[in-house]
PDB file of all heavy atoms in Angstrom:
ATOM      1  N   ALA A 185     -59.532 -37.630  -6.692  1.00  0.00           N
ATOM      2  CA  ALA A 185     -60.021 -36.959  -7.766  1.00  0.00           C
ATOM      3  C   ALA A 185     -59.062 -36.941  -9.045  1.00  0.00           C
ATOM      4  O   ALA A 185     -57.837 -37.193  -8.753  1.00  0.00           O
ATOM      5  CB  ALA A 185     -60.313 -35.545  -7.371  1.00  0.00           C
ATOM      6  N   LEU A 186     -59.628 -36.721 -10.160  1.00  0.00           N
ATOM      7  CA  LEU A 186     -58.835 -36.712 -11.409  1.00  0.00           C
ATOM      8  C   LEU A 186     -58.539 -35.203 -11.694  1.00  0.00           C
ATOM      9  O   LEU A 186     -59.457 -34.375 -11.610  1.00  0.00           O
ATOM     10  CB  LEU A 186     -59.593 -37.312 -12.550  1.00  0.00           C
ATOM     11  CG  LEU A 186     -59.911 -38.829 -12.394  1.00  0.00           C
ATOM     12  CD1 LEU A 186     -60.610 -39.339 -13.617  1.00  0.00           C
ATOM     13  CD2 LEU A 186     -58.532 -39.638 -12.208  1.00  0.00           C
ATOM     14  N   ALA A 187     -57.297 -34.916 -11.992  1.00  0.00           N
ATOM     15  CA  ALA A 187     -56.902 -33.540 -12.361  1.00  0.00           C
ATOM     16  C   ALA A 187     -56.669 -33.389 -13.836  1.00  0.00           C
ATOM     17  O   ALA A 187     -56.032 -34.298 -14.435  1.00  0.00           O
ATOM     18  CB  ALA A 187     -55.641 -33.083 -11.541  1.00  0.00           C
ATOM     19  N   SER A 188     -57.108 -32.271 -14.444  1.00  0.00           N
ATOM     20  CA  SER A 188     -56.854 -32.033 -15.888  1.00  0.00           C
ATOM     21  C   SER A 188     -56.604 -30.530 -16.064  1.00  0.00           C
ATOM     22  O   SER A 188     -57.167 -29.736 -15.249  1.00  0.00           O
ATOM     23  CB  SER A 188     -58.067 -32.524 -16.674  1.00  0.00           C
ATOM     24  OG  SER A 188     -59.224 -31.905 -16.383  1.00  0.00           O
ATOM     25  N   ALA A 189     -55.938 -30.159 -17.138  1.00  0.00           N
ATOM     26  CA  ALA A 189     -55.639 -28.788 -17.406  1.00  0.00           C
ATOM     27  C   ALA A 189     -56.248 -28.454 -18.798  1.00  0.00           C
ATOM     28  O   ALA A 189     -56.157 -29.346 -19.779  1.00  0.00           O
ATOM     29  CB  ALA A 189     -54.187 -28.521 -17.318  1.00  0.00           C
ATOM     30  N   HIS A 190     -56.752 -27.253 -18.897  1.00  0.00           N
ATOM     31  CA  HIS A 190     -57.258 -26.792 -20.238  1.00  0.00           C
ATOM     32  C   HIS A 190     -56.741 -25.301 -20.464  1.00  0.00           C
ATOM     33  O   HIS A 190     -57.025 -24.427 -19.653  1.00  0.00           O
ATOM     34  CB  HIS A 190     -58.839 -26.730 -20.144  1.00  0.00           C
ATOM     35  CG  HIS A 190     -59.396 -28.112 -19.800  1.00  0.00           C
ATOM     36  ND1 HIS A 190     -59.497 -29.170 -20.651  1.00  0.00           N
ATOM     37  CD2 HIS A 190     -59.874 -28.501 -18.584  1.00  0.00           C
ATOM     38  CE1 HIS A 190     -60.095 -30.163 -19.970  1.00  0.00           C
ATOM     39  NE2 HIS A 190     -60.300 -29.804 -18.753  1.00  0.00           N
ATOM     40  N   PRO A 191     -56.004 -25.168 -21.505  1.00  0.00           N
ATOM     41  CA  PRO A 191     -55.371 -26.183 -22.436  1.00  0.00           C
ATOM     42  C   PRO A 191     -54.157 -26.785 -21.755  1.00  0.00           C
ATOM     43  O   PRO A 191     -53.570 -26.239 -20.749  1.00  0.00           O
ATOM     44  CB  PRO A 191     -55.001 -25.381 -23.631  1.00  0.00           C
ATOM     45  CG  PRO A 191     -54.644 -23.993 -23.086  1.00  0.00           C
ATOM     46  CD  PRO A 191     -55.638 -23.745 -21.957  1.00  0.00           C
ATOM     47  N   GLN A 192     -53.670 -27.889 -22.232  1.00  0.00           N
ATOM     48  CA  GLN A 192     -52.527 -28.512 -21.710  1.00  0.00           C
ATOM     49  C   GLN A 192     -51.224 -27.893 -22.256  1.00  0.00           C
ATOM     50  O   GLN A 192     -50.206 -28.056 -21.598  1.00  0.00           O
ATOM     51  CB  GLN A 192     -52.567 -30.013 -22.094  1.00  0.00           C
ATOM     52  CG  GLN A 192     -53.604 -30.794 -21.300  1.00  0.00           C
ATOM     53  CD  GLN A 192     -53.500 -32.341 -21.663  1.00  0.00           C
ATOM     54  OE1 GLN A 192     -53.062 -32.714 -22.672  1.00  0.00           O
ATOM     55  NE2 GLN A 192     -54.038 -33.091 -20.628  1.00  0.00           N
ATOM     56  N   VAL A 193     -51.313 -27.158 -23.364  1.00  0.00           N
ATOM     57  CA  VAL A 193     -50.144 -26.476 -23.862  1.00  0.00           C
ATOM     58  C   VAL A 193     -50.559 -24.977 -24.052  1.00  0.00           C
ATOM     59  O   VAL A 193     -51.540 -24.644 -24.704  1.00  0.00           O
ATOM     60  CB  VAL A 193     -49.684 -27.026 -25.238  1.00  0.00           C
ATOM     61  CG1 VAL A 193     -48.592 -26.208 -25.796  1.00  0.00           C
ATOM     62  CG2 VAL A 193     -49.359 -28.479 -25.182  1.00  0.00           C
ATOM     63  N   VAL A 194     -49.872 -24.168 -23.266  1.00  0.00           N
ATOM     64  CA  VAL A 194     -50.157 -22.696 -23.361  1.00  0.00           C
ATOM     65  C   VAL A 194     -49.017 -22.056 -24.151  1.00  0.00           C
ATOM     66  O   VAL A 194     -47.763 -22.109 -23.773  1.00  0.00           O
ATOM     67  CB  VAL A 194     -50.160 -22.086 -21.885  1.00  0.00           C
ATOM     68  CG1 VAL A 194     -50.523 -20.615 -21.948  1.00  0.00           C
ATOM     69  CG2 VAL A 194     -51.241 -22.867 -21.023  1.00  0.00           C
ATOM     70  N   ARG A 195     -49.429 -21.350 -25.188  1.00  0.00           N
ATOM     71  CA  ARG A 195     -48.402 -20.653 -26.086  1.00  0.00           C
ATOM     72  C   ARG A 195     -48.485 -19.188 -25.821  1.00  0.00           C
ATOM     73  O   ARG A 195     -49.507 -18.551 -25.813  1.00  0.00           O
ATOM     74  CB  ARG A 195     -48.787 -21.019 -27.464  1.00  0.00           C
ATOM     75  CG  ARG A 195     -48.782 -22.412 -27.757  1.00  0.00           C
ATOM     76  CD  ARG A 195     -49.040 -22.677 -29.286  1.00  0.00           C
ATOM     77  NE  ARG A 195     -49.230 -24.080 -29.555  1.00  0.00           N
ATOM     78  CZ  ARG A 195     -48.180 -25.040 -29.689  1.00  0.00           C
ATOM     79  NH1 ARG A 195     -46.902 -24.525 -29.571  1.00  0.00           N
ATOM     80  NH2 ARG A 195     -48.404 -26.299 -29.904  1.00  0.00           N
ATOM     81  N   LEU A 196     -47.226 -18.618 -25.561  1.00  0.00           N
ATOM     82  CA  LEU A 196     -47.088 -17.195 -25.277  1.00  0.00           C
ATOM     83  C   LEU A 196     -46.104 -16.652 -26.337  1.00  0.00           C
ATOM     84  O   LEU A 196     -44.982 -17.148 -26.462  1.00  0.00           O
ATOM     85  CB  LEU A 196     -46.517 -16.948 -23.874  1.00  0.00           C
ATOM     86  CG  LEU A 196     -47.238 -17.586 -22.716  1.00  0.00           C
ATOM     87  CD1 LEU A 196     -46.518 -17.171 -21.442  1.00  0.00           C
ATOM     88  CD2 LEU A 196     -48.673 -17.012 -22.664  1.00  0.00           C
ATOM     89  N   ALA A 197     -46.654 -15.693 -27.155  1.00  0.00           N
ATOM     90  CA  ALA A 197     -45.852 -15.018 -28.064  1.00  0.00           C
ATOM     91  C   ALA A 197     -45.698 -13.563 -27.715  1.00  0.00           C
ATOM     92  O   ALA A 197     -46.632 -12.779 -27.657  1.00  0.00           O
ATOM     93  CB  ALA A 197     -46.540 -15.148 -29.480  1.00  0.00           C
ATOM     94  N   ASP A 198     -44.389 -13.213 -27.465  1.00  0.00           N
ATOM     95  CA  ASP A 198     -43.980 -11.804 -27.097  1.00  0.00           C
ATOM     96  C   ASP A 198     -44.705 -11.359 -25.865  1.00  0.00           C
ATOM     97  O   ASP A 198     -44.828 -10.132 -25.562  1.00  0.00           O
ATOM     98  CB  ASP A 198     -44.380 -10.902 -28.256  1.00  0.00           C
ATOM     99  CG  ASP A 198     -43.494 -11.151 -29.549  1.00  0.00           C
ATOM    100  OD1 ASP A 198     -42.438 -11.521 -29.416  1.00  0.00           O
ATOM    101  OD2 ASP A 198     -44.095 -11.002 -30.640  1.00  0.00           O
ATOM    102  N   VAL A 199     -45.165 -12.245 -25.019  1.00  0.00           N
ATOM    103  CA  VAL A 199     -45.663 -11.910 -23.737  1.00  0.00           C
ATOM    104  C   VAL A 199     -45.114 -12.875 -22.635  1.00  0.00           C
ATOM    105  O   VAL A 199     -44.682 -13.913 -23.002  1.00  0.00           O
ATOM    106  CB  VAL A 199     -47.259 -11.922 -23.661  1.00  0.00           C
ATOM    107  CG1 VAL A 199     -47.824 -10.914 -24.618  1.00  0.00           C
ATOM    108  CG2 VAL A 199     -47.748 -13.319 -24.058  1.00  0.00           C
ATOM    109  N   ALA A 200     -45.182 -12.402 -21.478  1.00  0.00           N
ATOM    110  CA  ALA A 200     -44.577 -13.220 -20.417  1.00  0.00           C
ATOM    111  C   ALA A 200     -45.591 -13.752 -19.374  1.00  0.00           C
ATOM    112  O   ALA A 200     -45.287 -14.420 -18.421  1.00  0.00           O
ATOM    113  CB  ALA A 200     -43.531 -12.394 -19.577  1.00  0.00           C
ATOM    114  N   GLU A 201     -46.902 -13.455 -19.586  1.00  0.00           N
ATOM    115  CA  GLU A 201     -47.979 -13.880 -18.732  1.00  0.00           C
ATOM    116  C   GLU A 201     -49.001 -14.677 -19.514  1.00  0.00           C
ATOM    117  O   GLU A 201     -49.206 -14.458 -20.681  1.00  0.00           O
ATOM    118  CB  GLU A 201     -48.566 -12.698 -18.033  1.00  0.00           C
ATOM    119  CG  GLU A 201     -47.654 -11.891 -17.175  1.00  0.00           C
ATOM    120  CD  GLU A 201     -48.340 -10.730 -16.454  1.00  0.00           C
ATOM    121  OE1 GLU A 201     -49.498 -10.373 -16.896  1.00  0.00           O
ATOM    122  OE2 GLU A 201     -47.687 -10.127 -15.611  1.00  0.00           O
ATOM    123  N   GLY A 202     -49.598 -15.587 -18.770  1.00  0.00           N
ATOM    124  CA  GLY A 202     -50.663 -16.393 -19.311  1.00  0.00           C
ATOM    125  C   GLY A 202     -51.611 -16.984 -18.342  1.00  0.00           C
ATOM    126  O   GLY A 202     -51.341 -16.920 -17.069  1.00  0.00           O
ATOM    127  N   THR A 203     -52.725 -17.600 -18.808  1.00  0.00           N
ATOM    128  CA  THR A 203     -53.589 -18.211 -17.835  1.00  0.00           C
ATOM    129  C   THR A 203     -54.107 -19.549 -18.473  1.00  0.00           C
ATOM    130  O   THR A 203     -54.065 -19.776 -19.670  1.00  0.00           O
ATOM    131  CB  THR A 203     -54.868 -17.390 -17.697  1.00  0.00           C
ATOM    132  OG1 THR A 203     -55.573 -17.175 -18.884  1.00  0.00           O
ATOM    133  CG2 THR A 203     -54.510 -16.000 -17.055  1.00  0.00           C
ATOM    134  N   PHE A 204     -54.460 -20.489 -17.606  1.00  0.00           N
ATOM    135  CA  PHE A 204     -55.252 -21.670 -18.019  1.00  0.00           C
ATOM    136  C   PHE A 204     -56.070 -22.099 -16.837  1.00  0.00           C
ATOM    137  O   PHE A 204     -56.062 -21.556 -15.798  1.00  0.00           O
ATOM    138  CB  PHE A 204     -54.217 -22.708 -18.468  1.00  0.00           C
ATOM    139  CG  PHE A 204     -53.248 -23.128 -17.337  1.00  0.00           C
ATOM    140  CD1 PHE A 204     -53.525 -24.233 -16.510  1.00  0.00           C
ATOM    141  CD2 PHE A 204     -52.025 -22.551 -17.238  1.00  0.00           C
ATOM    142  CE1 PHE A 204     -52.633 -24.621 -15.510  1.00  0.00           C
ATOM    143  CE2 PHE A 204     -51.139 -22.881 -16.227  1.00  0.00           C
ATOM    144  CZ  PHE A 204     -51.419 -23.982 -15.403  1.00  0.00           C
ATOM    145  N   THR A 205     -56.830 -23.258 -17.022  1.00  0.00           N
ATOM    146  CA  THR A 205     -57.796 -23.703 -16.048  1.00  0.00           C
ATOM    147  C   THR A 205     -57.454 -25.110 -15.590  1.00  0.00           C
ATOM    148  O   THR A 205     -57.112 -25.931 -16.454  1.00  0.00           O
ATOM    149  CB  THR A 205     -59.203 -23.644 -16.607  1.00  0.00           C
ATOM    150  OG1 THR A 205     -59.572 -22.368 -17.053  1.00  0.00           O
ATOM    151  CG2 THR A 205     -60.244 -24.127 -15.561  1.00  0.00           C
ATOM    152  N   VAL A 206     -57.537 -25.361 -14.301  1.00  0.00           N
ATOM    153  CA  VAL A 206     -57.309 -26.700 -13.772  1.00  0.00           C
ATOM    154  C   VAL A 206     -58.741 -27.171 -13.242  1.00  0.00           C
ATOM    155  O   VAL A 206     -59.341 -26.497 -12.452  1.00  0.00           O
ATOM    156  CB  VAL A 206     -56.306 -26.642 -12.545  1.00  0.00           C
ATOM    157  CG1 VAL A 206     -56.310 -28.067 -11.841  1.00  0.00           C
ATOM    158  CG2 VAL A 206     -54.949 -26.363 -13.102  1.00  0.00           C
ATOM    159  N   GLN A 207     -58.962 -28.417 -13.639  1.00  0.00           N
ATOM    160  CA  GLN A 207     -60.324 -28.955 -13.248  1.00  0.00           C
ATOM    161  C   GLN A 207     -60.037 -30.246 -12.427  1.00  0.00           C
ATOM    162  O   GLN A 207     -59.128 -31.115 -12.812  1.00  0.00           O
ATOM    163  CB  GLN A 207     -61.175 -29.355 -14.449  1.00  0.00           C
ATOM    164  CG  GLN A 207     -62.538 -29.885 -14.045  1.00  0.00           C
ATOM    165  CD  GLN A 207     -63.399 -30.381 -15.204  1.00  0.00           C
ATOM    166  OE1 GLN A 207     -62.996 -31.349 -15.809  1.00  0.00           O
ATOM    167  NE2 GLN A 207     -64.444 -29.604 -15.477  1.00  0.00           N
ATOM    168  N   LEU A 208     -60.756 -30.410 -11.283  1.00  0.00           N
ATOM    169  CA  LEU A 208     -60.699 -31.605 -10.448  1.00  0.00           C
ATOM    170  C   LEU A 208     -62.051 -32.321 -10.504  1.00  0.00           C
ATOM    171  O   LEU A 208     -63.086 -31.664 -10.290  1.00  0.00           O
ATOM    172  CB  LEU A 208     -60.405 -31.152  -8.940  1.00  0.00           C
ATOM    173  CG  LEU A 208     -58.982 -30.530  -8.727  1.00  0.00           C
ATOM    174  CD1 LEU A 208     -58.826 -30.093  -7.278  1.00  0.00           C
ATOM    175  CD2 LEU A 208     -57.895 -31.414  -9.199  1.00  0.00           C
ATOM    176  N   ASP A 209     -62.017 -33.653 -10.774  1.00  0.00           N
ATOM    177  CA  ASP A 209     -63.210 -34.423 -11.025  1.00  0.00           C
ATOM    178  C   ASP A 209     -63.365 -35.366  -9.806  1.00  0.00           C
ATOM    179  O   ASP A 209     -62.528 -36.341  -9.669  1.00  0.00           O
ATOM    180  CB  ASP A 209     -63.104 -35.145 -12.356  1.00  0.00           C
ATOM    181  CG  ASP A 209     -64.315 -35.833 -12.756  1.00  0.00           C
ATOM    182  OD1 ASP A 209     -65.258 -36.061 -11.918  1.00  0.00           O
ATOM    183  OD2 ASP A 209     -64.504 -36.207 -13.854  1.00  0.00           O
ATOM    184  N   ASN A 210     -64.434 -35.210  -9.057  1.00  0.00           N
ATOM    185  CA  ASN A 210     -64.752 -36.014  -7.845  1.00  0.00           C
ATOM    186  C   ASN A 210     -65.913 -36.873  -8.049  1.00  0.00           C
ATOM    187  O   ASN A 210     -66.550 -37.255  -7.145  1.00  0.00           O
ATOM    188  CB  ASN A 210     -64.832 -35.237  -6.647  1.00  0.00           C
ATOM    189  CG  ASN A 210     -64.769 -36.034  -5.313  1.00  0.00           C
ATOM    190  OD1 ASN A 210     -63.959 -36.937  -5.272  1.00  0.00           O
ATOM    191  ND2 ASN A 210     -65.485 -35.633  -4.318  1.00  0.00           N
ATOM    192  N   ARG A 211     -66.335 -37.100  -9.301  1.00  0.00           N
ATOM    193  CA  ARG A 211     -67.546 -37.816  -9.560  1.00  0.00           C
ATOM    194  C   ARG A 211     -67.535 -39.291  -9.290  1.00  0.00           C
ATOM    195  O   ARG A 211     -68.571 -39.959  -9.117  1.00  0.00           O
ATOM    196  CB  ARG A 211     -67.931 -37.637 -11.038  1.00  0.00           C
ATOM    197  CG  ARG A 211     -68.454 -36.283 -11.458  1.00  0.00           C
ATOM    198  CD  ARG A 211     -68.792 -36.084 -12.855  1.00  0.00           C
ATOM    199  NE  ARG A 211     -67.584 -36.064 -13.650  1.00  0.00           N
ATOM    200  CZ  ARG A 211     -67.505 -35.822 -14.976  1.00  0.00           C
ATOM    201  NH1 ARG A 211     -68.620 -35.607 -15.623  1.00  0.00           N
ATOM    202  NH2 ARG A 211     -66.343 -35.777 -15.631  1.00  0.00           N
ATOM    203  N   ALA A 212     -66.365 -39.912  -9.076  1.00  0.00           N
ATOM    204  CA  ALA A 212     -66.232 -41.238  -8.666  1.00  0.00           C
ATOM    205  C   ALA A 212     -66.217 -41.417  -7.082  1.00  0.00           C
ATOM    206  O   ALA A 212     -66.320 -42.614  -6.647  1.00  0.00           O
ATOM    207  CB  ALA A 212     -64.918 -41.865  -9.194  1.00  0.00           C
ATOM    208  N   ALA A 213     -66.288 -40.372  -6.383  1.00  0.00           N
ATOM    209  CA  ALA A 213     -66.311 -40.477  -4.809  1.00  0.00           C
ATOM    210  C   ALA A 213     -67.601 -39.999  -4.334  1.00  0.00           C
ATOM    211  O   ALA A 213     -68.278 -39.132  -4.995  1.00  0.00           O
ATOM    212  CB  ALA A 213     -65.067 -39.695  -4.330  1.00  0.00           C
ATOM    213  N   ASN A 214     -68.023 -40.538  -3.137  1.00  0.00           N
ATOM    214  CA  ASN A 214     -69.313 -40.181  -2.555  1.00  0.00           C
ATOM    215  C   ASN A 214     -69.079 -39.199  -1.356  1.00  0.00           C
ATOM    216  O   ASN A 214     -69.965 -39.102  -0.537  1.00  0.00           O
ATOM    217  CB  ASN A 214     -70.026 -41.373  -2.201  1.00  0.00           C
ATOM    218  CG  ASN A 214     -69.427 -42.114  -0.993  1.00  0.00           C
ATOM    219  OD1 ASN A 214     -68.242 -41.974  -0.662  1.00  0.00           O
ATOM    220  ND2 ASN A 214     -70.270 -43.019  -0.389  1.00  0.00           N
ATOM    221  N   PHE A 215     -67.940 -38.574  -1.174  1.00  0.00           N
ATOM    222  CA  PHE A 215     -67.679 -37.665  -0.081  1.00  0.00           C
ATOM    223  C   PHE A 215     -66.904 -36.464  -0.565  1.00  0.00           C
ATOM    224  O   PHE A 215     -66.233 -36.448  -1.587  1.00  0.00           O
ATOM    225  CB  PHE A 215     -66.946 -38.425   1.055  1.00  0.00           C
ATOM    226  CG  PHE A 215     -65.607 -38.895   0.649  1.00  0.00           C
ATOM    227  CD1 PHE A 215     -64.506 -38.237   0.910  1.00  0.00           C
ATOM    228  CD2 PHE A 215     -65.516 -40.161   0.032  1.00  0.00           C
ATOM    229  CE1 PHE A 215     -63.213 -38.744   0.594  1.00  0.00           C
ATOM    230  CE2 PHE A 215     -64.278 -40.637  -0.362  1.00  0.00           C
ATOM    231  CZ  PHE A 215     -63.064 -39.920  -0.067  1.00  0.00           C
ATOM    232  N   ASP A 216     -67.083 -35.305   0.197  1.00  0.00           N
ATOM    233  CA  ASP A 216     -66.464 -34.118  -0.163  1.00  0.00           C
ATOM    234  C   ASP A 216     -65.003 -34.147   0.037  1.00  0.00           C
ATOM    235  O   ASP A 216     -64.517 -34.919   0.987  1.00  0.00           O
ATOM    236  CB  ASP A 216     -67.075 -32.950   0.664  1.00  0.00           C
ATOM    237  CG  ASP A 216     -68.542 -32.737   0.307  1.00  0.00           C
ATOM    238  OD1 ASP A 216     -68.993 -33.233  -0.657  1.00  0.00           O
ATOM    239  OD2 ASP A 216     -69.191 -32.004   1.163  1.00  0.00           O
ATOM    240  N   ARG A 217     -64.176 -33.317  -0.687  1.00  0.00           N
ATOM    241  CA  ARG A 217     -62.729 -33.261  -0.529  1.00  0.00           C
ATOM    242  C   ARG A 217     -62.354 -31.785  -0.560  1.00  0.00           C
ATOM    243  O   ARG A 217     -63.046 -30.992  -1.200  1.00  0.00           O
ATOM    244  CB  ARG A 217     -61.998 -34.045  -1.603  1.00  0.00           C
ATOM    245  CG  ARG A 217     -62.246 -35.527  -1.669  1.00  0.00           C
ATOM    246  CD  ARG A 217     -61.429 -36.078  -2.788  1.00  0.00           C
ATOM    247  NE  ARG A 217     -61.628 -37.569  -2.972  1.00  0.00           N
ATOM    248  CZ  ARG A 217     -60.933 -38.462  -2.404  1.00  0.00           C
ATOM    249  NH1 ARG A 217     -59.927 -38.133  -1.566  1.00  0.00           N
ATOM    250  NH2 ARG A 217     -61.126 -39.768  -2.617  1.00  0.00           N
ATOM    251  N   ARG A 218     -61.308 -31.469   0.022  1.00  0.00           N
ATOM    252  CA  ARG A 218     -60.660 -30.147  -0.003  1.00  0.00           C
ATOM    253  C   ARG A 218     -59.268 -30.231  -0.457  1.00  0.00           C
ATOM    254  O   ARG A 218     -58.452 -30.894   0.220  1.00  0.00           O
ATOM    255  CB  ARG A 218     -60.836 -29.428   1.305  1.00  0.00           C
ATOM    256  CG  ARG A 218     -59.926 -28.127   1.386  1.00  0.00           C
ATOM    257  CD  ARG A 218     -60.300 -27.361   2.605  1.00  0.00           C
ATOM    258  NE  ARG A 218     -61.568 -26.546   2.507  1.00  0.00           N
ATOM    259  CZ  ARG A 218     -61.968 -25.609   3.300  1.00  0.00           C
ATOM    260  NH1 ARG A 218     -61.119 -25.212   4.196  1.00  0.00           N
ATOM    261  NH2 ARG A 218     -63.048 -25.040   3.106  1.00  0.00           N
ATOM    262  N   TYR A 219     -58.966 -29.630  -1.570  1.00  0.00           N
ATOM    263  CA  TYR A 219     -57.530 -29.718  -2.122  1.00  0.00           C
ATOM    264  C   TYR A 219     -56.926 -28.300  -2.079  1.00  0.00           C
ATOM    265  O   TYR A 219     -57.651 -27.313  -2.338  1.00  0.00           O
ATOM    266  CB  TYR A 219     -57.614 -30.182  -3.574  1.00  0.00           C
ATOM    267  CG  TYR A 219     -57.856 -31.559  -3.743  1.00  0.00           C
ATOM    268  CD1 TYR A 219     -59.184 -32.094  -4.081  1.00  0.00           C
ATOM    269  CD2 TYR A 219     -56.822 -32.572  -3.610  1.00  0.00           C
ATOM    270  CE1 TYR A 219     -59.405 -33.444  -4.224  1.00  0.00           C
ATOM    271  CE2 TYR A 219     -57.085 -33.949  -3.746  1.00  0.00           C
ATOM    272  CZ  TYR A 219     -58.351 -34.325  -4.051  1.00  0.00           C
ATOM    273  OH  TYR A 219     -58.604 -35.680  -4.275  1.00  0.00           O
TER     274      TYR A 219
END
């Protein structure tokens, strides 16, 4: 699978915590995967 992050750059101003999203793309394979 292909892995991507959104956003790729996380900016934190005056805070110490943040969040972002990781996406796994399995559209090129014909079987299930568990990561």
Side-chain angles (χ1 to χ4, degrees):
L186 299 177
S188 60
H190 306 280
Q192 290 184 332
V193 178
V194 182
R195 302 184 185 277
L196 303 180
D198 294 326
V199 294
E201 296 180 351
T203 62
F204 60 91
T205 301
V206 171
Q207 184 184 70
L208 296 179
D209 187 344
N210 195 35
R211 285 177 289 187
N214 68 344
F215 60 96
D216 297 343
R217 296 179 184 269
R218 168 170 284 195
Y219 285 99

